[in-house]
Amino acid sequence: FSSLIFDLDGTLIDSVIVVRAALNQLLNEYGRPSLSDSEVRMLIGEGVEPMINNAFAQTGSQPTPGHINSLVQRYLEYYLNTNQDRKIVYPGVIELLEVFANRGIQMGVCTNKPKQSTHAALEALDLAHYFSTVICPEDTPYRKPDPRHVEHTLMNMGGEKISSLFIGD
């Protein structure tokens, strides 16, 4: 293979601690109870908007459609101000990325995590330099598990399907 595309959360990093801290700050701001790691883990994967909708539903009632954008922005503020600890990078990930980089394998990230928080996490965790392409929901009308999200990432990398792998949870 000549190209690798990675999912971010649950594959390269375990961001539950950071997501939980930011999400609980948001919930507490609205008088909602905090969620545990396991509860937050069940909410991650579809993107920030569904996560917030589900967290609010789980702790009371869903926000109105007109209110969700401001909640997303507030969550992102909390997320960006939460310390990105290197411990959230899964063991062995950096060593594996080094091996692939040294072999000249092109790597990209395809994630449902918002662009602002994705780039902040990759930079803070010193992972950004491994990836030639990072595609987030703002970059394409498709979201994983729609294969077109991954295909869009591959197209931006200049890779070919026949010699590429997607690695995700």
Side-chain angles (χ1 to χ4, degrees), residues 23-35 52-63 71:
L23 184 59
N24 282 339
Q25 278 186 279
L26 179 67
L27 290 169
N28 296 163
E29 181 181 325
Y30 288 88
R32 306 288 181 108
S34 294
L35 297 175
I52 290 172
N53 272 322
N54 292 331
F56 270 71
Q58 195 169 321
T59 59
S61 61
Q62 284 187 313
L71 292 174

Side-chain angles (χ1 to χ4, degrees), residues 28-102:
N28 296 163
E29 181 181 325
Y30 288 88
R32 306 288 181 108
S34 294
L35 297 175
S36 68
D37 280 357
S38 61
E39 290 170 316
V40 171
R41 193 174 303 280
M42 298 301 295
L43 299 175
I44 294 176
E46 297 293 321
V48 171
E49 194 172 307
M51 178 185 71
I52 290 172
N53 272 322
N54 292 331
F56 270 71
Q58 195 169 321
T59 59
S61 61
Q62 284 187 313
T64 61
H67 193 72
I68 191 67
N69 287 338
S70 64
L71 292 174
V72 167
Q73 289 310 307
R74 196 79 179 122
Y75 166 81
L76 289 174
E77 288 173 24
Y78 287 136
Y79 184 93
L80 293 172
N81 288 314
T82 302
N83 181 32
Q84 298 283 336
D85 191 319
R86 296 260 320 169
K87 291 183 284 191
I88 71 171
V89 178
Y90 284 116
V93 163
I94 293 173
E95 295 82 359
L96 187 62
L97 293 175
E98 279 293 322
V99 168
F100 292 141
N102 289 335

Side-chain angles (χ1 to χ4, degrees), residues 119-141:
H119 287 281
L122 290 173
E123 288 295 331
L125 300 169
D126 197 28
L127 297 174
H129 65 279
Y130 291 108
F131 304 105
S132 63
T133 302
V134 177
I135 300 295
C136 302
E138 297 89 339
D139 301 316
T140 177

Side-chain angles (χ1 to χ4, degrees), residues 149-169:
H149 191 167
V150 177
E151 290 168 356
H152 185 83
T153 306
L154 185 59
M155 181 188 73
N156 277 270
M157 292 171 63
E160 297 182 24
K161 285 182 187 181
I162 194 80
S163 61
S164 302
L165 293 174
F166 174 75
I167 301 166
D169 59 329

